[in-house]
Amino acid sequence: MLNLKNFLFKGGLAADLPDDLRVAIEAWRNTPAPADDAHFHTRYVVLDIVSSGTNPETDKLYGISATTVRQSSILPNDAFFLDCSTQESADAVDRELMAFLQFTAKAPIVTYHVPYVEGFLRRAFKEHLGIDFQAQWIDLAWLLPAMFEEKSARIMPLNDWIEVFGLDAGSGRRTTMENALMLARIFQMLLVRANNKNIDTSASLIKESRASSFLRRTH
């Protein structure tokens, strides 16, 4: 089973949360994390965010889009979308963030550049719900060069990987959901390569992602 110590809420909840949200958070806390399993049987949440800038400390989170990959397939009907930029009520955002927690169901989360994405999510959860959000992350920005060295051994922008893999990204600026779906397509290919390298479970892939990030940052 994945280590729950790496996916905890630390500290107290926001003082003004309504009772139903407190109950929902407690229920989510008590839900067991998914068991470590083969990729085919693991539900991975693939997400992208949009923000007003790149600094999680000062810029604003505008939206979250997520889809899932399971049994080698992208499941577009198992998706989540939050547009924070148009929410007038803080309570509405609180409830949408709670819905996001329920959607993830403590599954491993796949994204591009974890520090950027995680920084905005942790700030949002701290400010709205008073909790410290930590997840089991898989960072494609660092993992792709480690798994596909023959294509590129260096960190590249996402658009470069899209071109390397011959994917049709369309023209113009993509939405966060389009980005999430594009990341999911790339992740499907990465899972095939991971299996070929005997990195064949969710826990081993998370470990490989962490190791790739650490080695490349320190060498």
Side-chain angles (χ1 to χ4, degrees), residues 92-103:
V93 178
D94 294 348
R95 294 181 183 281
E96 289 286 357
L97 289 172
M98 185 65 242
F100 174 71
L101 291 181
Q102 294 168 329
F103 168 79

Side-chain angles (χ1 to χ4, degrees), residues 189-200:
M189 291 183 276
L190 185 140
L191 288 179
V192 174
R193 178 61 61 93
N195 277 320
N196 291 339
K197 291 177 174 286
N198 295 319
I199 304 170
D200 51 9

Side-chain angles (χ1 to χ4, degrees), residues 21 82 87-99 128:
L21 271 182
L82 167 60
Q87 296 280 7
E88 297 181 358
S89 161
D91 179 69
V93 178
D94 294 348
R95 294 181 183 281
E96 289 286 357
L97 289 172
M98 185 65 242
H128 285 274

